[in-house]
Amino acid sequence: MLRRATVVLASAALLLMLGACGSKTAEESHGLHQTPSGDLQEKTASLSTLPSFLDKQPEQMKKAYLVAAQTKDLLGHIPCYCGCGESAGHQSNMNCFIKETASDGSVVWDDHATRCGVCLEIAVKSAQWQQQGHSAKDIREQIDKQYQKGYAKPTPTPLPA
């Protein structure tokens, strides 16, 4: 699983460098809305229904969003160090993928991570460590340690219990 996640991360980083974003005109025709920060957001019925802004993205990007959906509770306690706390108002790494989950199970997805290698890397590393049996507290400590220097200010993310 570690190898697969590493491949997902490497592929996503390469795609980001090659300009992996789709056309906003086509995306807007799917009922998406754009935030003031430029991110696209789309509501779907559940975590298992990916947003249409991923339709033209490579499989690796879709897998990264599925990983984020599967680990959203963990990612809600993991800060992002790309600067999205200040630029987009994100509260955690989860918000780079998912703005919110409603009580009816519907989800508002965010396309921020489709353009950000830092967001993808933090989510994939966190998921890997969780799968290896590390606690949310340990994962948070590792992420904070690895990203505290040379990256943007972290999101204002609450510590895990």
Side-chain angles (χ1 to χ4, degrees):
M1 187 57 156
L2 179 60
R3 177 177 274 167
R4 183 183 306 156
T6 301
V7 169
V8 167
L9 177 60
S11 298
L14 177 62
L15 291 169
L16 292 171
M17 288 186 276
L18 297 173
C21 290
S23 163
K24 294 221 190 278
T25 304
E27 289 169 342
E28 288 169 354
S29 70
H30 286 246
L32 301 174
H33 88 276
Q34 191 168 23
T35 67
S37 67
D39 292 346
L40 292 175
Q41 293 179 343
E42 180 180 354
K43 186 175 183 178
T44 67
S46 71
L47 286 169
S48 61
T49 305
L50 291 174
S52 66
F53 62 71
L54 292 175
D55 288 352
K56 294 183 180 180
Q57 296 288 346
E59 261 327 286
Q60 291 83 3
M61 185 66 68
K62 293 174 187 174
K63 288 179 183 176
Y65 268 75
L66 286 172
V67 165
Q70 293 166 353
T71 59
K72 77 176 196 67
D73 292 337
L74 169 65
L75 297 182
H77 293 289
I78 305 298
C80 189
Y81 283 81
C82 79
C84 62
E86 293 180 348
S87 68
H90 291 177
Q91 299 297 305
S92 69
N93 183 250
M94 179 193 69
N95 296 137
C96 301
F97 301 87
I98 299 169
K99 178 185 179 204
E100 63 189 4
T101 305
S103 59
D104 67 358
S106 63
V107 178
V108 177
W109 298 89
D110 194 300
D111 83 330
H112 182 85
T114 65
R115 299 178 311 281
C116 185
V118 174
C119 303
L120 292 167
E121 186 175 283
I122 289 171
V124 170
K125 282 182 180 183
S126 298
Q128 288 171 343
W129 290 332
Q130 183 179 52
Q131 196 162 46
Q132 293 169 2
H134 295 275
S135 70
K137 183 181 177 204
D138 290 342
I139 294 167
R140 169 67 181 264
E141 288 173 3
Q142 280 294 95
I143 293 295
D144 286 339
K145 182 179 177 182
Q146 286 188 15
Y147 292 89
Q148 67 184 344
K149 293 183 182 174
Y151 293 90
K153 181 180 175 183
T155 54
T157 307
L159 292 169

